[in-house]
Amino acid sequence: QVQLVESGGGVVQPGRSLRLSCAASGFTFSSYGMHWVRQAPGKGLEWVAVISNDESNKYYADSVKGRFTISRDNSKNTLYLQMNSLRVEDTAVYYCARSSPTDYWGQGTLVTVSS
Amino acid sequence: QSVLTQPPSVSAAPGQKVTISCSGSSSNIGNNYVSWYQQLPGTVPKLLIYDNNKRPSGIPDRFSGSKSGTSATLGITGLQTGDEADYYCGTWDSSLSAGVFGGGTKLTVL
């Protein structure tokens, strides 16, 4: 069965960095694009970034452009989100999701940016 | 301020039908497929509808989707108390080159 497991969340100070991982199993990871979507506490869904199956295309939300980098390692079936210059407003649960359609989501990992 | 506009809340009685609207523009809904997600309290979002009107396996036909121009609609018939959740529309925005979601609609089954 398809599984997506995020890790790497935690508490970090503003301005610092964090790298999230999403381990995929149960499907041919290298055949699918992948998204990161986040949800701030008590708020709605916010799309963050997407990467094509072969890493040739990457797109970002304006709110994270220039600070976050999406990448993947198809040999390890793993998706990454490198988050730099973190801000308080980046506090959220971060989900990875398979595309397209976005039919499978991970359980999410909580990132808290606080001094 | 979300790119896609949804009503903050809707309500209806058990057994009744409800519709949730999602309004956008030509750069998003008007020229791209729409998906709908259900998020029950404390859970991960779940795909209900994709490509405007298709249901993933396991999603009952009580849930339906449609699109007309720059708006999309989610319909739910035979409402159950278990349908109480937040519902989100989502699509791609070709001008922004970014994914976009609606602000979400909270469904209350009275």
Side-chain angles (χ1 to χ4, degrees):
Chain A
Q1 73 282 19
V2 173
Q3 273 199 309
L4 298 171
V5 180
E6 301 93 339
S7 61
V11 180
V12 63
Q13 292 179 327
R16 304 297 288 260
S17 300
L18 208 58
R19 188 177 83 157
L20 305 183
S21 299
C22 168
S25 60
F27 64 102
T28 305
F29 181 69
S30 59
S31 296
Y32 289 84
M34 297 291 296
H35 295 266
W36 285 102
V37 176
R38 69 184 181 183
Q39 187 169 33
K43 302 297 185 182
L45 301 176
E46 180 186 12
W47 178 84
V48 173
V50 65
I51 185 170
S52 59
N53 66 313
D54 62 358
E55 227 174 347
S56 61
N57 291 295
K58 304 177 185 180
Y59 299 98
Y60 300 90
D62 282 346
S63 57
V64 306
K65 201 172 293 182
R67 300 188 299 123
F68 289 12
T69 302
I70 189 171
S71 64
R72 63 191 297 160
D73 185 335
N74 286 342
S75 69
K76 295 183 178 179
N77 291 343
T78 303
L79 173 73
Y80 301 102
L81 185 68
Q82 177 67 41
M83 304 185 296
N84 298 332
S85 302
L86 280 162
R87 304 169 180 169
V88 171
E89 55 264 35
D90 294 320
T91 294
V93 174
Y94 285 73
Y95 299 102
C96 62
R98 190 177 82 165
S99 177
S100 281
T102 43
D103 51 357
Y104 289 95
W105 297 56
Q107 289 300 307
T109 186
L110 176 61
V111 173
T112 303
V113 184
S114 173
S115 55
Chain B
Q1 189 80 356
S2 302
V3 172
L4 305 180
T5 301
Q6 297 180 235
S9 63
V10 296
S11 62
Q16 295 300 303
K17 173 182 178 178
V18 71
T19 60
I20 298 174
S21 61
C22 177
S23 177
S25 68
S26 59
S27 65
N28 42 66
I29 292 177
N31 284 284
N32 293 286
Y33 287 120
V34 176
S35 296
W36 288 91
Y37 305 87
Q38 177 194 59
Q39 188 174 32
L40 298 168
T43 69
V44 176
K46 175 183 178 181
L47 181 66
L48 283 181
I49 299 289
Y50 68 99
D51 289 358
N52 302 333
N53 55 19
K54 298 177 182 175
R55 282 177 287 107
S57 61
I59 301 301
D61 59 7
R62 300 190 298 109
F63 296 91
S64 64
S66 64
K67 187 180 96 168
S68 178
T70 59
S71 293
T73 302
L74 172 70
I76 312 173
T77 60
L79 276 172
Q80 304 171 1
T81 55
D83 296 330
E84 286 202 335
D86 293 321
Y87 291 84
Y88 297 90
C89 57
T91 187
W92 183 257
D93 191 297
S94 304
S95 293
L96 297 174
S97 291
V100 290
F101 286 104
T105 298
K106 183 175 183 61
L107 169 63
T108 301
V109 181
L110 302 166

